[in-house]
Amino acid sequence: MASTKYSQLEKPRSTIAALDKEYAQLLVAVQPKVIDTEEENEFYLAEVTKLMRLGDAISPAQERLLKLLVNLIESFESQHYQLKAATPLEILTELIRDRGLKQKDLLPVFGSQGIASEVLNGKRGISRAAAKALGKFFKVSPSLFFDN
């Protein structure tokens, strides 16, 4: 009975040791570290891409490395690529461009060509009534067009 317990304990230890050995080899090959430059970020992104291409064939050690690299990349990018929130006008312009619309297509929303032109040229803000109408027109939340 004691030998059965011992052999059951040995199996997980040997599996862990093999995982640690493979992981150590991967760490030596890739040499992950805190990312300081865009070139390093690009290198680690390429490594992540290679690992992700493995799909279901990825080993536990490769998966550990993948998680580490993703954390390093996310840390670098959160410090260097802070996105600013889009303005209501930028959102409106993108929706118009995305749907292939023209300024005249917004006449039902703004009521006149002049108001539509002033809004789209940034000379006039989007009123609450216009925001509600734009929300209905584009089938999006009107809050996208409210200035915060």
Side-chain angles (χ1 to χ4, degrees):
M1 184 102 172
S3 64
T4 306
K5 275 188 171 181
Y6 181 74
S7 64
Q8 288 174 345
L9 291 175
E10 280 301 308
K11 191 172 183 180
R13 283 186 189 154
S14 64
T15 304
I16 291 170
L19 171 66
D20 288 344
K21 184 177 179 183
E22 181 187 356
Y23 184 61
Q25 291 170 341
L26 290 168
L27 290 174
V28 169
V30 178
Q31 299 183 2
K33 66 177 193 72
V34 173
I35 301 171
D36 294 316
T37 67
E38 188 61 41
E39 292 76 25
E40 291 170 343
N41 192 50
E42 291 297 323
F43 172 78
Y44 292 129
L45 283 168
E47 292 298 316
V48 164
T49 300
K50 288 179 201 173
L51 290 167
M52 291 180 73
R53 285 189 182 134
L54 296 173
D56 292 339
I58 194 167
S59 73
Q62 290 168 323
E63 194 166 358
R64 276 173 80 183
L65 177 62
L66 176 61
K67 288 177 183 177
L68 174 62
L69 294 176
V70 167
N71 281 332
L72 292 171
I73 291 165
E74 285 177 348
S75 176
F76 175 81
E77 290 184 354
S78 71
Q79 292 175 13
H80 293 86
Y81 301 119
Q82 302 225 347
L83 298 176
K84 66 176 183 92
T87 66
L89 179 57
E90 290 169 335
I91 292 169
L92 175 59
T93 303
E94 181 62 25
L95 286 169
I96 291 169
R97 187 191 65 73
D98 185 56
R99 288 171 171 80
L101 300 174
K102 304 251 186 272
Q103 181 176 312
K104 66 179 180 174
D105 297 320
L106 298 178
L107 283 177
V109 173
F110 291 109
S112 80
Q113 187 71 24
I115 293 173
S117 177
E118 287 178 355
V119 168
L120 293 174
N121 289 316
K123 295 179 181 175
R124 176 187 282 227
I126 300 172
S127 69
R128 290 191 81 71
K132 289 177 184 176
L134 285 166
K136 187 175 182 178
F137 182 83
F138 286 108
K139 296 178 177 53
V140 297
S141 171
S143 66
L144 291 174
F145 305 107
F146 295 147
D147 274 321
N148 293 335

